[in-house]
Amino acid sequence: RRAALLVALAVGVPAAARNATMAGDDLPVAAGSVMVPAMLAWRIEGVSPELLLSKALSLAVIAGSCLGKFPQIHAVWRARSAEGISRISIWTEFVSMGVQFAYNAVRGTPLTTYAEIVVLFPQLLLLALVAAWADGYLGARVLLACLLICSGAAVMALGIVSPTITTAAYAANATFGLVAVIPQVVINRRNKSTGQLSFVVTAMTFGGISTRLFTTFVEVDDLPLQITMMVNWSLVAVLMCQFYLYRDTRPLPARPPGSVSPVSEPEKQLPVLKKTTSMVQVLAAIGSSRCLSEMVDKNVVDETYAVIKSKSSQSLSQIAGSMSFGALPYVSNSVPELAAFNGFQAIGARSPSPSRGLRRN
C-alpha cells in the first residue's frame, strides 16, 4: 500500500497540479498543504485498480525476462555442448518472438504488455549462435539465417511491408503452440505420466502466462492477440492438470514388524533433499512464459517435426504427381493433321454405323 501511494503521489500530484493550473485554480504549494491528500485521492480514483495491478504484474514478468535464456546460454557455453536442447525449438522460438514483436508493434499495443519479447528476442539470437558454436555448425548459413530473421522482424515492425502480411505471419505463428504442446499432452495421456517434465518450470511458466493473459485482456483490445494468449494459457493449464491427474498415488509401504521407530534413533540423519531448480531458473521461467517449447521434451519436438516434414513431403509429392503431364491420360488439344483427318473420314464412310464428328478441344 505504501509503495502504491508513493507511485500515485509521484505521478498524480504533478498531473493534478497541472490540470488544476490549466483550469485556473489556486493551489497552495506548502509542503504541509491539505490539498495534497485531496489531489492524491483524486488521482487514485481516476486510475483503475485493474490497470495498476496489470502494470505491476507486467513489470514482474519483464524483470524475470531479463534473466530469461541466460541460464541456458551459460550452461551451453560452459559445457561446450547443446546436448539435450532441441535445435528446432531454438529456431522456432526465435522466429516466433520476431513475429510476435512485429505484430504488437504494428498493432500499437502498450509496451508493457510485450516488453519481455523485446528482451527475449536478442537472448534467443545469442542462444542460437552459442548452440551452433557448441555443436560445430556455426557458419555462413547460420549467420545468414539470423540476419534474415532479424531483418524480417524489423521490416514488419516498421510497417515497410503490408500489415496484412504481418497479421498472416502472426496467425501462422499462433499454431506453433498447438504443434509444440499437443503431442506432449498426448504422450503424457498415453503413458499416464508426465515423464521428465519439470513441475517447477511448468508451474512458473503457467504463472507467467496467466499474468500475460490478465494484462492482455485488461490493456489490449485486439481479438486475435487475446485468442492466442487464451489458447496458449489453455495448453499450459492442461499440462498442469496432467501433473495432478498422473501424480504418484501409491501408498507408502508398511513398516516391517519388529522395526525400530526412527524416533528412538537420534543418530540417524534424515536424507538431504536436493534442490533441482534454483531461484534464478524459476525467475527465468516466469520471464520466458511465452516460450512454450521449454515445457516439451526434446524428443517430442524432434519427432513432431519429423512427422510434419514427412507428411509435407508426401503431400507435395502427390500434388506434383497430379500436376505432371506424364502421369495424366493422353488428351489431344491440337487440331489433327490433314492426312489423319482424311483417314478418319474414309474409315467412317466404310463403317455401317454412323460415326461421330471430330471434336476440337
Side-chain angles (χ1 to χ4, degrees), residues 122-176:
Q123 294 180 19
L124 284 165
L125 170 61
L126 182 59
L127 177 60
L129 293 175
V130 171
W133 166 80
D135 285 350
Y137 63 92
L138 179 62
R141 294 177 59 184
V142 174
L143 298 177
L144 180 60
C146 294
L147 179 61
L148 289 177
I149 294 173
C150 295
S151 302
V155 166
M156 290 189 295
L158 294 175
I160 299 177
V161 299
S162 173
T164 306
I165 298 178
T166 306
T167 304
Y170 181 77
N173 172 75
T175 60
F176 169 70

Side-chain angles (χ1 to χ4, degrees), residues 25-335:
D25 297 339
D26 294 330
L27 293 177
V29 295
S33 174
V34 295
M35 291 299 294
V36 172
M39 289 188 298
L40 181 58
W42 172 85
R43 184 63 182 175
I44 292 177
E45 289 177 0
V47 177
S48 170
E50 291 83 3
L51 183 59
L52 288 176
L53 179 60
S54 175
K55 296 296 184 183
L57 293 175
S58 296
L59 292 177
V61 174
I62 295 169
S65 67
C66 293
L67 293 173
K69 298 294 182 179
F70 282 117
Q72 199 169 26
I73 294 172
H74 179 262
V76 174
W77 178 270
R78 187 174 181 180
R80 297 181 180 271
S81 173
E83 184 180 359
I85 302 176
S86 175
R87 185 187 308 179
I88 301 168
S89 298
I90 297 175
W91 288 97
T92 50
E93 294 285 12
F94 186 28
V95 175
S96 174
M97 290 297 159
V99 173
Q100 290 185 52
F101 165 68
Y103 180 79
N104 282 275
V106 169
R107 297 295 296 178
T109 56
L111 181 62
T112 53
T113 60
Y114 70 95
E116 73 274 10
I117 299 177
V118 183
V119 178
L120 288 172
F121 185 70
Q123 294 180 19
L124 284 165
L125 170 61
L126 182 59
L127 177 60
L129 293 175
V130 171
W133 166 80
D135 285 350
Y137 63 92
L138 179 62
R141 294 177 59 184
V142 174
L143 298 177
L144 180 60
C146 294
L147 179 61
L148 289 177
I149 294 173
C150 295
S151 302
V155 166
M156 290 189 295
L158 294 175
I160 299 177
V161 299
S162 173
T164 306
I165 298 178
T166 306
T167 304
Y170 181 77
N173 172 75
T175 60
F176 169 70
L178 298 174
V179 175
V181 179
I182 285 184
Q184 183 69 57
V185 173
V186 173
I187 289 176
N188 292 345
R189 184 179 181 276
R190 185 185 306 158
N191 298 334
K192 302 297 182 182
S193 172
T194 53
Q196 300 298 322
L197 294 183
S198 173
F199 174 76
V200 176
V201 173
T202 306
M204 293 301 102
T205 304
F206 181 70
I209 203 168
S210 299
T211 301
R212 269 293 162 241
L213 179 67
F214 175 76
T215 58
T216 301
F217 273 86
V218 170
E219 301 185 43
V220 180
D221 188 16
D222 186 272
L223 185 59
L225 192 58
Q226 293 175 346
I227 292 176
T228 302
M229 293 303 300
M230 190 66 190
V231 170
N232 293 340
W233 180 88
S234 302
L235 292 173
V236 184
V238 170
L239 286 177
M240 289 295 296
C241 292
Q242 286 186 329
F243 274 103
Y244 175 77
L245 292 175
Y246 304 139
R247 66 189 187 280
D248 191 359
T249 57
R250 294 174 298 179
L252 295 175
R255 184 182 301 278
S259 61
V260 183
S261 175
V263 180
S264 60
E265 298 181 0
E267 68 279 359
K268 186 177 181 181
Q269 297 180 354
L270 296 176
V272 179
L273 296 178
K274 294 183 179 180
K275 184 172 63 173
T276 59
T277 305
S278 65
M279 186 59 64
V280 173
Q281 293 174 332
V282 169
L283 295 176
I286 295 176
S288 305
S289 58
R290 292 180 184 264
C291 301
L292 298 181
S293 65
E294 290 187 353
M295 302 172 298
V296 182
D297 190 22
K298 173 184 179 295
N299 296 330
V300 174
V301 175
D302 294 341
E303 290 175 3
T304 304
Y305 172 76
V307 170
I308 294 176
K309 184 177 179 180
S310 175
K311 296 292 184 182
S312 301
S313 301
Q314 293 177 4
S315 300
L316 290 176
S317 300
Q318 293 176 358
I319 294 173
S322 64
M323 295 177 64
S324 176
F325 293 103
L328 295 176
Y330 175 76
V331 177
S332 175
N333 294 324
S334 60
V335 179

